[in-house]
Amino acid sequence: MSLLNLDSDQRAELAAKVRRDYAELKASNLALDLTRGKPSSEQLDIGRSLLALPGEEDVRDADGVDVRNYGNLKGIRDIRELWADLLGVSADTLIAADASSLNLEYDLVALAHSFGTQDSPRPWSQEETVKWICLVPGYDRHFTITEAFGYEMLTVPWLDEGPDLDAIREAVKDPQVKGLWIVPMFANPSGHTVSADDVRALAEMDTAAADFRIFWDNAYAVHTLTDEFPEILDVVGIAAEAGNPNRFYQFSSTSKITFAGAGVAFLNTSEANLAWYLKHAGVRGIGPNKVNQLAHARYFGDAEGVRAVMRKHAALLAPKFARVLDILEANLGEYDVARWTKPTGGYFISLDVLDGTAARVVELAREAGIALTPAGSSFPLHDDPNDRNIRLAPSLPPVEELEAAMEGVTVCVLLAALEKLGA
């Protein structure tokens, strides 16, 4: 029963029912939040034993160095080797830093802006303009970084099978295009995972700028919603084989594995890129929080220990995602006014509503006591040209609150669509 195919009388009848449902929703005095992909308290409790580590008696790393003191910009060997094993890369091309990979991403842009990379003819700040490729829908905090530096952001869509490679190849013909943001596994919010063929295409493609960089934010590399962990591709090694060794900066962290904001972040890239970064990082600081790095290394034990922790997260997250998908299908499936992703990992569901109605859906939800991420947040400058995309974040609320919120969201989707159609 597609809403688009109903005659005027049928639409009017349905509109009357949906408006009654919405009035009941507002009368419920809800106060629910689906805005950000934060771990729930139950997920954070998984890592409670981490708080007692590394322990008082043994505070030396694998090299016998007291982690309570200054030094070691690259991070301790214990956690670097463990994480390198998890990612399938060399520990020699991996550094361990403080809590947030987003901090590393900002620093790398800021350093290139101020000084240029080792491959840059001049600092990016001295370019007439800097352009950046942004896959959409994408991660809003990525776009905020390039917006802060005044870079022109070029939107490229995710296609069903992956990033629009033809559009990317065309964009990088411009020497002012210096970078690409991408979340390559269980992408935020689309859920895409980039294939090996597409990785090779990105590694091999010709770019007009010698200092073009792909910011490969592998934030959800092990964040499965099932028992299966997809293969993590060694993008730095693939790029080296393709003759473009400095192309990728790969980021990851423990932020949604242990404690958000109190974990360890990692940068995997070429030795030349690492040397350039560490030269500047040594000016900015003396070394990372090695006590926390040793605590994490002992907490996980090895790469399989990380996967064991992630299975516990999946057991908490998967039922929430399943309920959201069930409610979307039950309440919207027959009306043909929305599409949504069905992720097998990550933290988000991407909901596309009837063109021109996303902002109205968010407004209706807010008036009913349901906070959603603002429409357009998954696009640079919050500008979704079709006003259709809404990012749903099921992780934080308890299941009962999540169900109530999603029942309300579907009412808002239908009401906004009916309004758009003049019913």
Side-chain angles (χ1 to χ4, degrees):
M1 187 178 68
S2 170
L3 197 63
L4 305 177
N5 294 332
L6 297 181
D7 62 33
S8 58
D9 289 341
Q10 290 171 318
R11 283 186 188 169
E13 182 180 355
L14 179 60
K17 177 187 179 302
V18 172
R19 288 190 172 93
R20 288 194 301 271
D21 292 342
Y22 183 68
E24 292 177 5
L25 181 68
K26 291 183 69 175
S28 300
N29 296 316
L30 299 176
L32 305 174
D33 191 339
L34 294 179
T35 54
R36 299 218 67 88
K38 296 179 180 179
S40 66
S41 295
E42 292 79 9
Q43 289 177 260
L44 297 175
D45 284 342
I46 293 171
R48 185 179 293 273
S49 63
L50 180 62
L51 295 173
L53 295 170
E56 298 179 6
E57 297 178 359
D58 184 5
V59 289
R60 295 183 180 275
D61 65 15
D63 294 317
V65 178
D66 189 334
V67 297
R68 298 172 299 178
N69 222 323
Y70 292 120
N72 197 347
L73 274 174
K74 294 184 71 174
I76 66 171
R77 180 161 60 89
D78 313 53
I79 194 66
R80 288 172 50 239
E81 289 182 348
L82 186 158
W83 211 259
D85 186 26
L86 183 72
L87 295 181
V89 303
S90 168
D92 293 335
T93 58
L94 181 79
I95 65 169
D98 288 328
S100 174
S101 54
L102 195 66
N103 294 156
L104 283 170
E105 292 159 20
Y106 180 91
D107 285 352
L108 286 164
V109 174
L111 291 172
H113 188 81
S114 297
F115 306 108
T117 75
Q118 75 274 20
D119 298 321
S120 301
R122 64 192 68 85
W124 290 357
S125 59
Q126 295 178 14
E127 297 284 355
E128 182 177 350
T129 184
V130 172
K131 300 177 184 178
W132 205 277
I133 301 169
C134 301
L135 282 165
V136 293
Y139 181 27
D140 53 339
R141 291 191 181 275
H142 283 165
F143 306 151
T144 300
I145 292 174
T146 34
E147 179 185 355
F149 285 93
Y151 297 166
E152 180 182 343
M153 292 179 280
L154 312 175
T155 58
V156 169
W158 284 102
L159 305 177
D160 289 342
E161 64 275 12
D164 187 339
L165 291 176
D166 289 339
I168 293 172
R169 290 190 186 99
E170 186 63 29
V172 297
K173 293 178 181 178
D174 183 345
Q176 301 308 124
V177 174
K178 299 294 189 180
L180 162 67
W181 293 121
I182 185 167
V183 179
M185 298 182 69
F186 305 130
N188 174 359
S190 69
H192 283 90
T193 293
V194 181
S195 70
D197 287 344
D198 284 356
V199 168
R200 281 190 289 272
L202 290 169
E204 294 170 356
M205 69 183 180
D206 293 328
T207 65
D211 53 353
F212 174 79
R213 296 292 187 264
I214 295 177
F215 281 58
W216 192 261
D217 188 354
N218 219 345
Y220 304 109
V222 291
H223 292 64
T224 181
L225 292 172
T226 70
D227 289 332
E228 298 181 4
F229 293 89
E231 179 186 6
I232 301 172
L233 300 170
D234 178 9
V235 294
V236 174
I238 293 170
E241 292 174 359
N244 297 304
N246 299 336
R247 177 157 296 175
F248 284 91
Y249 296 134
Q250 177 173 209
F251 308 91
S252 58
S253 81
T254 69
S255 287
K256 290 177 181 176
I257 299 174
T258 55
F259 301 138
V264 183
F266 302 90
L267 170 63
N268 164 230
T269 189
S270 68
E271 292 183 6
N273 282 348
L274 285 181
W276 169 81
Y277 170 73
L278 290 170
K279 176 183 68 174
H280 295 290
V283 177
R284 185 172 68 87
I286 300 173
N289 183 343
K290 299 182 297 299
V291 174
N292 193 35
Q293 292 184 2
L294 184 59
H296 276 76
R298 291 182 179 167
Y299 172 69
F300 292 129
D302 54 23
E304 182 52 37
V306 180
R307 288 186 280 267
V309 169
M310 294 316 299
R311 293 186 185 98
K312 295 178 181 179
H313 282 275
L316 293 170
L317 285 170
K320 293 183 177 182
F321 277 75
R323 285 302 297 135
V324 171
L325 296 175
D326 287 346
I327 291 169
L328 288 170
E329 181 60 37
N331 295 359
L332 298 177
E334 64 180 311
Y335 292 113
D336 196 26
V337 293
R339 298 176 57 201
W340 51 89
T341 57
K342 298 177 182 178
T344 57
Y347 261 66
F348 303 98
I349 293 171
S350 183
L351 173 66
D352 283 343
V353 296
L354 196 66
D355 281 10
T357 67
R360 178 59 175 157
V361 170
V362 173
E363 178 185 32
L364 289 168
R366 182 180 65 250
E367 292 174 356
I370 304 168
L372 296 175
T373 304
S377 291
S378 297
F379 290 75
L381 306 176
H382 287 204
D383 181 18
D384 175 0
N386 297 300
D387 187 22
R388 71 161 68 122
N389 186 254
I390 298 171
R391 186 184 68 195
L392 301 176
S395 58
L396 183 62
V399 172
E400 297 77 11
E401 292 184 9
L402 181 62
E403 290 174 340
M406 286 308 306
E407 292 286 351
V409 167
T410 57
V411 171
C412 296
V413 170
L414 278 175
L415 180 54
L418 287 160
E419 290 176 348
K420 180 73 173 178
L421 296 171

